[in-house]
Amino acid sequence: MMRVSTHEANHLLGFMLEAHDDLTVKISRRLDRIKLRGRGSAQGTRRLKLLLAGIQELTEGIHEQAMGQLAPRLVEIGRSEMKHAAGSLTHSIPVRIDLAMPSARVLTDIAVSEPIQGLALNGWFDKLTNASVEGIDRAIRLGVAEGETTDQIMRRIRGTKAANFRDGVMGKTRRQAESIARTGVNHVTTRSRDALYERNSNLVSKVRIVATLDSRTSPICQTQDGKVYDVGAGPRPPFHVACRTTTAPVVKSWKDMGINLKEAPEGTRASMNGQVPKSTTYGDWLKGQNSTIQNEALGKKRGAMFRTGEIKVERFT
């Protein structure tokens, strides 16, 4: 999932870079015209208003195209994830089963219409447009008011080469777009699995939250790791922007399914330092780590409290 989200983020960043290069040229040319007319002249003021209105329109167009590229890719990722989850279920159950698969419309709704951290996909891109336009607007007005050159204003908008153009308004916009792509992938993969489990609740009884066992996991994901919720109920990832937490199905016992076989042994799960038993929670895993990793995960003060047993991971959220 992380490789897929990185791929989608890079794809979106590539498009945004090209679009921002084109937008930079257009803004720069129009700023030069404004300066030729004089920043205090009536015509210069009118040109400035037209420039800012044009930036709004151009930015909206860029982000509409970006969403138009990302949305169908998210639908395809959801379809692929659903097939993978179905294959995992059929492989893990020792008898032949026929799974009920959600419709294509469900996948489209998950990717495009369902809220991701409170906003649908178009809402996130609308928010991105507003923040980007506001930042560019502020940079231009400030630069014009202070009599800066076009190059000085554009450095504030585009960023500096020394910082690999990450320190300007456009760099911030691209980072936010990257987060949208990563969070969207997590949302689509999680909800696609949920849709499959809901259609097959005769096999799947619960859903377990599975966080990443390393020192970069957020407090909310540390707390949720290992918790089990009913199918179709309870919180689900993404718990925050660029969340790495995922879910796994809790399959009914062979006995509950009417299968006369010995129950399957406990499996394992990944961690930053190797496989651990599946039942290991983030708190269990963190107890076995050295103080350096514990401090990286919790901070020095909370790490010390955790080592003395004064407080558990779950209390930090």
Side-chain angles (χ1 to χ4, degrees):
M1 184 184 74
M2 291 304 299
R3 286 196 296 270
V4 170
S5 68
T6 296
H7 175 79
E8 291 306 315
N10 289 339
H11 183 273
L12 191 61
L13 283 175
F15 167 78
M16 296 286 284
L17 277 168
E18 287 187 16
H20 281 171
D21 284 345
D22 183 55
L23 182 59
T24 297
V25 171
K26 290 177 178 176
I27 294 174
S28 182
R29 286 175 180 171
R30 295 182 189 183
L31 276 173
D32 283 339
R33 291 176 196 155
I34 291 170
K35 292 199 172 291
L36 284 173
R37 298 294 176 183
R39 61 190 177 95
S41 68
Q43 191 167 15
T45 301
R46 185 175 65 84
R47 283 182 178 273
L48 178 59
K49 288 181 179 179
L50 289 173
L51 169 60
L52 297 176
I55 290 170
Q56 173 82 33
E57 184 178 350
L58 289 169
T59 304
E60 286 176 353
I62 290 170
H63 294 164
E64 283 176 8
Q65 290 182 62
M67 192 185 78
Q69 291 188 21
L70 181 61
R73 295 168 75 89
L74 289 179
V75 173
E76 187 56 40
I77 289 167
R79 183 178 293 110
S80 176
E81 180 64 19
M82 190 179 291
K83 288 180 180 178
H84 172 75
S88 296
L89 277 175
T90 55
H91 178 75
S92 67
I93 297 174
V95 296
R96 181 176 175 177
I97 56 172
D98 292 318
L99 296 177
M101 301 296 288
S103 67
R105 177 59 185 272
V106 169
L107 286 173
T108 301
D109 287 345
I110 286 172
V112 178
S113 303
E114 282 195 5
I116 306 169
Q117 286 284 291
L119 288 173
L121 192 62
N122 63 343
W124 279 106
F125 277 100
D126 287 345
K127 188 175 180 180
L128 184 65
T129 296
N130 293 337
S132 180
V133 170
E134 183 180 339
I136 295 173
D137 184 304
R138 190 185 304 115
I140 291 174
R141 289 183 185 277
L142 179 63
V144 170
E146 295 188 356
E148 292 182 343
T149 65
T150 297
D151 285 345
Q152 287 174 318
I153 295 172
M154 293 313 301
R155 277 198 293 273
R156 192 179 287 118
I157 295 171
R158 185 178 54 184
T160 59
K161 189 175 182 180
N164 201 24
F165 301 105
R166 292 177 61 85
D167 54 339
V169 175
M170 290 179 173
K172 183 178 180 180
T173 298
R174 289 193 294 272
R175 290 194 296 275
Q176 290 171 337
E178 179 183 4
S179 293
I180 291 172
R182 292 184 182 279
T183 309
V185 169
N186 188 311
H187 165 78
V188 164
T189 52
T190 298
R191 284 293 297 119
S192 296
R193 288 192 297 271
D194 272 359
L196 177 72
Y197 303 154
E198 288 167 16
R199 290 292 306 274
N200 297 277
S201 57
N202 58 319
L203 303 173
V204 181
S205 61
K206 305 278 185 179
V207 175
R208 178 179 286 111
I209 306 297
V210 184
T212 304
L213 299 183
D214 68 17
S215 59
R216 295 189 297 119
T217 298
S218 68
I220 182 65
C221 294
Q222 293 174 11
T223 299
Q224 286 290 338
D225 182 58
K227 288 190 176 180
V228 175
Y229 299 100
D230 290 336
V231 174
R236 294 286 190 274
F239 294 119
H240 53 82
V241 173
C243 181
R244 298 180 298 157
T245 296
T246 185
T247 60
V250 179
V251 181
K252 290 184 177 180
S253 68
W254 299 161
K255 182 179 179 181
D256 289 341
M257 292 186 199
I259 302 171
N260 188 22
L261 289 173
K262 183 180 178 180
E263 297 295 332
E266 180 183 25
T268 61
R269 61 179 298 193
S271 77
M272 65 180 283
N273 39 21
Q275 294 288 315
V276 296
K278 186 175 68 176
S279 59
T280 304
T281 65
Y282 191 91
D284 296 333
W285 171 80
L286 196 60
K287 284 178 184 177
Q289 306 308 304
N290 59 42
S291 60
T292 300
I293 293 177
Q294 290 173 346
N295 289 347
E296 286 177 2
L298 303 174
K300 287 186 177 181
K301 185 176 180 180
R302 291 187 297 179
M305 294 169 68
F306 177 76
R307 284 188 289 277
T308 62
E310 185 177 345
I311 198 166
K312 296 182 178 179
V313 165
E314 291 79 5
R315 293 292 305 278
F316 291 141
T317 302

